[in-house]
Amino acid sequence: MYERVLFAVWLLTLVLFQSAESCELRPVLAQVPKRLPAGYVISEGTEELTLKGCAANPVAFTSSDPDFAVNTDGTIITVRGLVITTKRFSVLVQDESGLDWRVDIILSCKDEASQKSSSVAHKRIKRRWRPLPFSLIENDSPPFPKDLEMISSDSSVNYTVYYQISGQGVGTDPVGLFLLDKTNGMLKVTRAVDREQYPQFNFIARVYDQNGREVDAHLPITVIVEDKNDNAPEFIGGRLFSVEERCRAGTPIGQVNATDKDQANTTHTLIKFTLLNATDMFSIEPFTGKLTAKTNTLDREAQDKVFVNIEIRDMGGNPNGLFNRGTVVITLTDVNDNPPTFKEKLYKANVKENQENVLVTRIPVEDKDLVNTINWTALFEVTKGNESGQFRMETDPKTNEGLLYVVKGLDFEKTPVVKLEITARNAVPLVGTDVAWLSVPLELTVGDEDEGPEFNPTILYLKVKENVPNGTVIGTYKALDPETKNSNGIKYYKVTDPGNWITVVESTGELRTANTIDRESPLVHQDKYNITIRAVDESKKAGKGMVIILIEDENDNMPVIPSTDLVICSKGDALSSVLVEAVDQDKPPFSTPFIFEFGAEHDGKWKLKDKTDSSVVLEQAVPLPNGLYSVPLLVKDLQGFGNEQTVNVRVCSCEREENGAGICGARSASTSLGSLGVLALVLSSLLLLLLCLLVIFICSTKRDKLYLNDDTGTGGMLLKSNTEAPGEEVKEGALMIIPGTDAMDGSHQSGTIKNVTSSAGNIGQQFFQGGGVYNTTTQDFGTEKYYTSGRYDNNLYGNGGFQKFSNTNTLDTWNTNGRYLDRKLAYFGGEEEGRYADDLLKTYGNEGAGSPAGSVGCCSILGEPESLEFLNTLGPKFRPLADVCYTTK
């Protein structure tokens, strides 16, 4: 049995080999125009291309020249426009068994062939070189070297020649690829060639005789490497795509790109794309790689990323073609195809009555769309039960829960249970679904609270005529206790009453007029006057209500001419006029239209014309000279209520007019200067004179600094006093303080003493020493209070000046000072020495010889008889001071 199988295989191989040997494919010769457009048919399916007689069926055609393509029926067409004289290429035919058959195609130009046949009809042209350009198959299988083509020159007829080749593939990279038999010109290839690296070779063949002389021109040789399907297609570009869920079928998603290194525009590079999975969701165009959605039911919530495996195969997808596989990732983007759903079928909550702006409850929802997007964020709305706007809904941005707030307080007595309906939706509409927005019921229980009285209605409207008598009852405004539904024990008070027009009876809420109600008052707006009433129950809880009084008008105002001073421009003999307008604060029919008439004392120089509802034109009846005229006018309202008014009309020569009113000129104004103008001028002159006198008085009485003629060089000075004597009305003695310290020492600046005596007899003193002011304090010494003055100096620790406020009628100045000084010394003697070191007595030197006053030390004052004779030497300007001192003495 085994031998029979071997014999059958051997026999089949022999038959096929003999068939292949007997099948000879001749070149296809075709004459074509010189210019070939794209799509030009070179030849239709010939016997050579269809392998007739070769016991084989072609399945694929590959052209070695990219300018030509071969259809599946063997028809050769041009790919682009060409201009040719001659052209040679080959077509590789692949049969069902995978064997390759090569058919040479030779094209010649019709024009050149006819031209040559007509011009040299009787001349035979001999080819000098053979053959035409030829080709080899890439990656051909061993053994090597293999014969390619024989090169022959016509010179070999006359000479014994040998051949040489040089160029690419011979002496240059790739070196040694081609060999040439020098004697017979057979060209051989030594190894396999990769077309993707070397698509063709160009080199030169030369022919020489035995003497080394080149006997023919060199021949350029082109060897075309015919492509073999030895490269599988490869993916290029990105393979990440996205498409919206719920998109329409046929929506473009993207394009998958692939490339093949084999020869372009051949079946070796004809790539077919095939999906290996997710074929129910997506589709791909076989030869372009365009991805599209196959259905409209893509759901991101079910699968947000789809990994699609794609196969790319050359040879147009033929099973014998080479292939590659890759994965494409398609991300489904979110659309709002899921509404928010509630977790409960009924929600319940509680709230106390009268609470406002408080959170009542949280309502959780679920949304399957992408979190933290507008498709996921829920918006809540109270669709039922919120007709009065008592509730507000918000969304918690973190949890997406609905927050229910009470905006206006609820009333337990009116609605103990509030039924609401809550609807949840998204900010964007739903897409690709028939589901509508969902709603859920909510029961809100209102808790009871002890409330204050409530007015019903909250705003009471009352109609009242103006000017009603005080004490008139205009209505009653009562409040009820929400729990007991009565007004027992409730008291009423006014909260606001701008004009104090209304009185509220505390126990009954009765409203009475307290003052005149005036519709024309600025407190009234659009005939309305508002007051606020507060009701307080026995538990001190209160409620408020408002009363709006609608005031009805009465004829209590007469028409008034607001502008009674008018100006008429004098126009010579022409009669001038002016517009007179009147107003009435009442409303019709108690106001306009007005009735204008002249008063009883009308002199006939004026007349009225062009009357309107609120104005009349006053015109001169006769020409009038410039001057001021009084015109009596009687203005009445529609009810005949009015009085006589006087209009002052000034006739003058106008310098201009503004807004229809005349402006008198300077000449006219000067002639009208009356008694008031003269009085104003006189008063202005007197005021200016008084101001001048005041300035002179101030300058003449200013305080001059008077310097003492002191022989000791103390440089003391006194300020002039405006008080010359204490007067007889002085009740208390004026105590003059003479410091017992170095205040008048020659080593320091003299002190300035200023005494001011009031009419009551109290004397205030300020002491100035060296430009500074003595500070004063009051201290207790025994049972009497002493007024102490002192200052701090570089070498001065205190002074012995004191002032006592005494109620005695007589006061011995120097003796009293001595007694006070003794008491102070005794007081400080019993105290701590360190604390009062600055107040101890000091020894001071004499001010200098020749001083009329002698020494002013405290000891010398106590031991010497007092003398004020030195004051007589100070000059006449110090006479008032001397008189004061003598009087006091």
Side-chain angles (χ1 to χ4, degrees), residues 438-452:
L438 303 180
S439 301
V440 67
L442 185 145
E443 290 184 0
L444 181 61
T445 302
V446 182
D448 188 21
E449 290 283 325
D450 185 13
E451 303 171 278

Side-chain angles (χ1 to χ4, degrees), residues 592-668:
T592 57
F594 298 141
I595 301 172
F596 293 91
E597 299 175 354
F598 284 112
E601 298 181 359
H602 177 235
D603 54 6
K605 297 180 180 179
W606 306 89
K607 62 181 180 179
L608 301 175
K609 69 174 185 176
D610 300 337
K611 296 181 181 180
T612 64
D613 289 348
S614 60
S615 65
V616 69
V617 175
L618 179 62
E619 186 180 45
Q620 297 175 349
V622 296
L624 298 174
N626 291 354
L628 184 63
Y629 299 89
S630 298
V631 181
L633 287 180
L634 178 61
V635 185
K636 302 178 183 178
D637 58 21
L638 186 60
Q639 307 300 322
F641 185 47
N643 62 352
E644 184 177 307
Q645 304 175 53
T646 301
V647 177
N648 299 317
V649 182
R650 183 178 302 281
V651 180
C652 64
S653 298
C654 297
E655 97 181 341
R656 67 183 185 278
E657 292 188 10
E658 293 182 1
N659 299 325
I663 304 297
C664 293
R667 179 179 178 183
S668 176

